[in-house]
Amino acid sequence: MHTHKPYTATAAFLLIACCCVALLQACSGKEDPVTGLWKLPGEAISVEFSKEGDVTLTIDESTISGSFRRNKENVLLVDMGNGEQPVTLSDNGDELRLSDRRDDRDIFLRSETAEKVDRAESLFMAGYQAKNCDSSIVLYTQTATMLEGIPSESGHLARAYNNRGICEEKNGNTEAAMADYTKAIEIDPRLEIAYGNRAWLHDKLGNKEAATLDYRKAAELGYTPAKQWLEEQNLERAD
Protein backbone atom coordinates (compact mmCIF):
# COMPACT_ATOMS: atom_id res chain seq x y z
CA MET A 1 0.00 0.00 0.00
CA HIS A 2 1.29 3.42 -0.95
CA THR A 3 1.35 6.15 1.66
CA HIS A 4 1.46 9.91 1.04
CA LYS A 5 4.51 11.66 2.45
CA PRO A 6 3.76 14.88 4.30
CA TYR A 7 4.99 18.12 2.73
CA THR A 8 8.41 19.14 3.92
CA ALA A 9 9.33 22.83 4.38
CA THR A 10 11.42 22.67 1.21
CA ALA A 11 8.56 21.24 -0.81
CA ALA A 12 6.18 23.90 0.47
CA PHE A 13 8.68 26.64 -0.43
CA LEU A 14 9.08 25.26 -3.95
CA LEU A 15 5.29 25.12 -4.39
CA ILE A 16 4.93 28.76 -3.33
CA ALA A 17 7.80 29.81 -5.61
CA CYS A 18 6.21 28.07 -8.59
CA CYS A 19 2.89 29.81 -7.91
CA CYS A 20 4.66 33.19 -7.74
CA VAL A 21 6.43 32.57 -11.03
CA ALA A 22 3.16 31.59 -12.69
CA LEU A 23 1.50 34.75 -11.32
CA LEU A 24 4.34 36.97 -12.56
CA GLN A 25 4.18 35.39 -15.98
CA ALA A 26 0.44 35.99 -16.14
CA CYS A 27 0.89 39.64 -15.13
CA SER A 28 3.68 40.24 -17.62
CA GLY A 29 1.42 38.91 -20.37
CA LYS A 30 -1.38 41.37 -19.53
CA GLU A 31 -2.61 43.28 -22.56
CA ASP A 32 -1.70 46.97 -22.66
CA PRO A 33 -4.75 49.30 -22.44
CA VAL A 34 -3.73 50.93 -25.74
CA THR A 35 -4.11 47.65 -27.64
CA GLY A 36 -6.69 47.79 -30.41
CA LEU A 37 -7.77 49.87 -33.39
CA TRP A 38 -8.02 53.66 -33.15
CA LYS A 39 -9.40 56.11 -35.71
CA LEU A 40 -9.22 59.85 -36.27
CA PRO A 41 -12.85 61.00 -36.70
CA GLY A 42 -13.62 62.46 -40.09
CA GLU A 43 -10.34 61.25 -41.57
CA ALA A 44 -9.11 58.10 -43.32
CA ILE A 45 -6.41 57.75 -40.68
CA SER A 46 -6.17 54.91 -38.18
CA VAL A 47 -3.58 53.34 -35.91
CA GLU A 48 -3.57 49.81 -34.54
CA PHE A 49 -1.61 48.54 -31.54
CA SER A 50 -1.18 44.77 -31.35
CA LYS A 51 -0.72 42.81 -28.13
CA GLU A 52 2.66 41.69 -29.51
CA GLY A 53 3.96 45.29 -29.41
CA ASP A 54 3.53 46.20 -33.08
CA VAL A 55 1.99 49.44 -34.39
CA THR A 56 0.46 50.03 -37.81
CA LEU A 57 -0.43 53.56 -38.91
CA THR A 58 -2.75 53.74 -41.94
CA ILE A 59 -3.27 56.98 -43.88
CA ASP A 60 -5.71 56.49 -46.75
CA GLU A 61 -4.34 53.22 -48.15
CA SER A 62 -0.69 53.71 -47.16
CA THR A 63 0.68 52.01 -44.07
CA ILE A 64 3.66 52.59 -41.80
CA SER A 65 4.76 49.91 -39.34
CA GLY A 66 6.54 50.32 -36.04
CA SER A 67 6.60 49.18 -32.44
CA PHE A 68 5.60 50.39 -28.99
CA ARG A 69 6.56 49.75 -25.38
CA ARG A 70 6.29 51.15 -21.87
CA ASN A 71 9.35 52.54 -20.12
CA LYS A 72 10.08 52.25 -16.38
CA GLU A 73 7.88 55.30 -15.71
CA ASN A 74 5.02 53.59 -17.61
CA VAL A 75 5.24 56.20 -20.38
CA LEU A 76 3.94 54.87 -23.68
CA LEU A 77 6.63 55.10 -26.38
CA VAL A 78 6.12 54.53 -30.10
CA ASP A 79 8.84 54.06 -32.72
CA MET A 80 7.71 54.45 -36.33
CA GLY A 81 11.25 54.43 -37.71
CA ASN A 82 12.37 57.84 -36.47
CA GLY A 83 13.18 56.94 -32.90
CA GLU A 84 10.91 56.54 -29.91
CA GLN A 85 8.36 59.26 -29.28
CA PRO A 86 5.99 59.52 -26.29
CA VAL A 87 2.26 59.29 -26.98
CA THR A 88 -0.63 60.08 -24.65
CA LEU A 89 -3.45 57.77 -23.63
CA SER A 90 -6.23 59.38 -21.59
CA ASP A 91 -6.84 58.18 -18.05
CA ASN A 92 -10.08 56.50 -19.06
CA GLY A 93 -8.37 54.83 -22.04
CA ASP A 94 -10.79 56.32 -24.57
CA GLU A 95 -8.65 58.98 -26.26
CA LEU A 96 -5.20 58.77 -27.84
CA ARG A 97 -2.79 61.45 -29.03
CA LEU A 98 0.25 60.45 -31.06
CA SER A 99 2.32 62.95 -29.08
CA ASP A 100 2.73 64.03 -25.45
CA ARG A 101 1.19 67.47 -26.09
CA ARG A 102 -2.14 68.11 -24.40
CA ASP A 103 -2.91 70.76 -27.02
CA ASP A 104 -2.62 68.22 -29.85
CA ARG A 105 -6.00 68.47 -31.61
CA ASP A 106 -5.59 65.18 -33.50
CA ILE A 107 -7.35 62.92 -31.03
CA PHE A 108 -7.79 59.28 -31.98
CA LEU A 109 -10.80 57.42 -30.60
CA ARG A 110 -11.58 53.74 -30.34
CA SER A 111 -12.75 52.75 -33.82
CA GLU A 112 -16.35 52.13 -32.77
CA THR A 113 -16.49 55.53 -31.01
CA ALA A 114 -14.92 57.30 -33.99
CA GLU A 115 -17.52 55.74 -36.28
CA LYS A 116 -20.26 57.00 -33.94
CA VAL A 117 -18.76 60.51 -34.13
CA ASP A 118 -18.74 60.34 -37.94
CA ARG A 119 -22.41 59.30 -37.93
CA ALA A 120 -23.20 62.16 -35.54
CA GLU A 121 -21.47 64.61 -37.89
CA SER A 122 -23.66 63.38 -40.76
CA LEU A 123 -26.77 63.86 -38.62
CA PHE A 124 -25.63 67.36 -37.67
CA MET A 125 -25.19 68.34 -41.33
CA ALA A 126 -28.56 66.84 -42.19
CA GLY A 127 -30.09 68.94 -39.41
CA TYR A 128 -28.40 72.05 -40.76
CA GLN A 129 -29.69 71.37 -44.27
CA ALA A 130 -33.21 70.29 -43.29
CA LYS A 131 -36.02 72.36 -44.77
CA ASN A 132 -38.03 72.69 -41.56
CA CYS A 133 -37.22 73.17 -37.90
CA ASP A 134 -39.14 70.10 -36.71
CA SER A 135 -36.85 67.85 -38.74
CA SER A 136 -33.78 69.78 -37.61
CA ILE A 137 -34.74 69.43 -33.95
CA VAL A 138 -35.01 65.64 -34.32
CA LEU A 139 -31.64 65.42 -36.08
CA TYR A 140 -29.86 67.71 -33.62
CA THR A 141 -31.30 65.69 -30.73
CA GLN A 142 -29.95 62.48 -32.27
CA THR A 143 -26.58 64.18 -32.75
CA ALA A 144 -26.42 65.26 -29.11
CA THR A 145 -27.37 61.80 -27.89
CA MET A 146 -24.56 60.20 -29.89
CA LEU A 147 -21.92 62.71 -28.74
CA GLU A 148 -22.75 62.65 -25.03
CA GLY A 149 -19.88 61.29 -22.96
CA ILE A 150 -17.15 61.86 -25.59
CA PRO A 151 -14.96 64.63 -24.08
CA SER A 152 -13.07 65.46 -27.28
CA GLU A 153 -16.39 66.15 -29.04
CA SER A 154 -17.68 68.69 -26.51
CA GLY A 155 -17.42 71.50 -29.07
CA HIS A 156 -19.61 69.65 -31.57
CA LEU A 157 -22.02 68.67 -28.80
CA ALA A 158 -22.37 72.30 -27.72
CA ARG A 159 -23.11 73.38 -31.30
CA ALA A 160 -25.81 70.71 -31.60
CA TYR A 161 -27.56 72.18 -28.56
CA ASN A 162 -27.05 75.74 -29.83
CA ASN A 163 -28.51 74.93 -33.25
CA ARG A 164 -31.42 73.05 -31.71
CA GLY A 165 -32.06 76.13 -29.58
CA ILE A 166 -32.28 78.29 -32.71
CA CYS A 167 -34.92 75.93 -34.12
CA GLU A 168 -36.84 75.84 -30.85
CA GLU A 169 -36.85 79.65 -30.82
CA LYS A 170 -38.11 79.79 -34.41
CA ASN A 171 -40.91 77.43 -33.41
CA GLY A 172 -41.86 79.76 -30.57
CA ASN A 173 -40.60 77.47 -27.80
CA THR A 174 -38.63 80.13 -25.94
CA GLU A 175 -38.22 78.11 -22.75
CA ALA A 176 -36.73 75.14 -24.62
CA ALA A 177 -34.54 77.50 -26.66
CA MET A 178 -33.21 79.20 -23.54
CA ALA A 179 -32.44 75.81 -21.99
CA ASP A 180 -30.55 74.70 -25.11
CA TYR A 181 -28.46 77.89 -25.30
CA THR A 182 -27.61 77.53 -21.62
CA LYS A 183 -26.70 73.86 -22.07
CA ALA A 184 -24.43 74.76 -24.98
CA ILE A 185 -22.65 77.35 -22.83
CA GLU A 186 -22.24 74.89 -19.95
CA ILE A 187 -20.62 72.38 -22.29
CA ASP A 188 -18.42 74.92 -24.11
CA PRO A 189 -18.02 78.19 -22.15
CA ARG A 190 -16.21 79.74 -25.13
CA LEU A 191 -18.96 79.21 -27.69
CA GLU A 192 -19.54 82.88 -28.47
CA ILE A 193 -22.56 82.34 -30.73
CA ALA A 194 -24.47 80.61 -27.91
CA TYR A 195 -23.99 83.68 -25.69
CA GLY A 196 -25.11 85.85 -28.60
CA ASN A 197 -28.22 83.77 -29.23
CA ARG A 198 -29.16 83.69 -25.56
CA ALA A 199 -28.57 87.45 -25.32
CA TRP A 200 -30.86 88.04 -28.32
CA LEU A 201 -33.58 85.92 -26.71
CA HIS A 202 -33.20 87.69 -23.35
CA ASP A 203 -33.51 91.02 -25.14
CA LYS A 204 -36.58 89.87 -27.05
CA LEU A 205 -38.20 88.79 -23.77
CA GLY A 206 -37.44 92.16 -22.19
CA ASN A 207 -34.61 90.94 -19.93
CA LYS A 208 -32.25 93.81 -20.74
CA GLU A 209 -29.81 93.21 -17.88
CA ALA A 210 -29.37 89.50 -18.71
CA ALA A 211 -29.07 90.36 -22.40
CA THR A 212 -26.34 92.91 -21.70
CA LEU A 213 -24.33 90.41 -19.65
CA ASP A 214 -24.49 87.80 -22.42
CA TYR A 215 -23.75 90.31 -25.17
CA ARG A 216 -20.67 91.49 -23.27
CA LYS A 217 -19.43 87.93 -22.87
CA ALA A 218 -20.09 87.21 -26.55
CA ALA A 219 -18.25 90.40 -27.53
CA GLU A 220 -15.35 89.47 -25.27
CA LEU A 221 -15.11 86.18 -27.18
CA GLY A 222 -15.07 88.04 -30.50
CA TYR A 223 -18.70 87.81 -31.64
CA THR A 224 -19.15 90.83 -33.96
CA PRO A 225 -23.00 91.15 -33.74
CA ALA A 226 -22.66 91.41 -29.97
CA LYS A 227 -20.14 94.25 -30.32
CA GLN A 228 -22.51 96.05 -32.68
CA TRP A 229 -25.44 95.70 -30.27
CA LEU A 230 -23.39 97.09 -27.38
CA GLU A 231 -22.32 100.04 -29.53
CA GLU A 232 -25.91 100.75 -30.53
CA GLN A 233 -26.93 100.71 -26.87
CA ASN A 234 -23.91 102.78 -25.81
CA LEU A 235 -22.86 99.91 -23.55
CA GLU A 236 -19.38 99.20 -24.92
CA ARG A 237 -17.93 99.30 -21.41
CA ALA A 238 -19.13 97.63 -18.25
CA ASP A 239 -20.80 99.89 -15.71
Side-chain angles (χ1 to χ4, degrees), residues 109-130:
L109 303 176
R110 298 282 182 184
S111 58
E112 59 274 15
T113 304
E115 289 168 4
K116 183 192 293 188
V117 170
D118 289 343
R119 290 197 300 273
E121 180 65 19
S122 295
L123 289 170
F124 182 92
M125 291 306 300
Y128 185 77
Q129 296 167 354

Side-chain angles (χ1 to χ4, degrees), residues 120-157:
E121 180 65 19
S122 295
L123 289 170
F124 182 92
M125 291 306 300
Y128 185 77
Q129 296 167 354
K131 295 181 179 180
N132 63 78
C133 273
D134 289 337
S135 297
S136 292
I137 288 170
V138 170
L139 291 163
Y140 287 137
T141 299
Q142 292 174 344
T143 300
T145 299
M146 296 187 78
L147 295 180
E148 290 283 358
I150 306 177
S152 60
E153 294 301 313
S154 59
H156 291 152
L157 177 60

Side-chain angles (χ1 to χ4, degrees), residues 3-20:
T3 59
H4 295 288
K5 294 183 179 180
Y7 282 122
T8 63
T10 301
F13 175 80
L14 288 173
L15 178 61
I16 293 171
C18 288
C19 289
C20 288

Side-chain angles (χ1 to χ4, degrees), residues 25-44:
Q25 288 175 337
C27 290
S28 64
K30 186 178 179 181
E31 196 171 282
D32 193 288
V34 79
T35 299
L37 180 63
W38 301 79
K39 186 178 182 298
L40 194 61
E43 303 285 348

Side-chain angles (χ1 to χ4, degrees), residues 199-212:
W200 172 264
L201 184 54
H202 275 309
D203 191 30
K204 187 166 66 174
L205 295 173
N207 304 323
K208 184 70 174 288
E209 185 177 350
T212 301

Side-chain angles (χ1 to χ4, degrees), residues 19-123:
C19 289
C20 288
V21 169
L23 181 61
L24 288 171
Q25 288 175 337
C27 290
S28 64
K30 186 178 179 181
E31 196 171 282
D32 193 288
V34 79
T35 299
L37 180 63
W38 301 79
K39 186 178 182 298
L40 194 61
E43 303 285 348
I45 303 175
S46 64
V47 60
E48 186 169 12
F49 293 78
S50 76
K51 61 184 179 180
E52 289 80 18
D54 299 319
V55 182
T56 303
L57 176 65
T58 302
I59 303 175
D60 293 323
E61 296 184 3
S62 300
T63 61
I64 304 172
S65 298
S67 61
F68 76 97
R69 70 179 182 89
R70 299 270 182 174
N71 65 13
K72 293 180 180 179
E73 289 74 37
N74 202 37
V75 174
L76 188 59
L77 300 172
V78 170
D79 188 346
M80 303 302 292
N82 297 314
E84 291 186 327
Q85 301 293 329
V87 303
T88 305
L89 181 66
S90 64
D91 292 339
N92 62 8
D94 291 336
E95 297 179 351
L96 174 74
R97 291 177 173 87
L98 295 183
S99 72
D100 59 352
R101 302 194 321 274
R102 285 291 177 182
D103 62 345
D104 186 349
R105 301 185 67 178
D106 287 338
I107 300 175
F108 287 76
L109 303 176
R110 298 282 182 184
S111 58
E112 59 274 15
T113 304
E115 289 168 4
K116 183 192 293 188
V117 170
D118 289 343
R119 290 197 300 273
E121 180 65 19
S122 295
L123 289 170

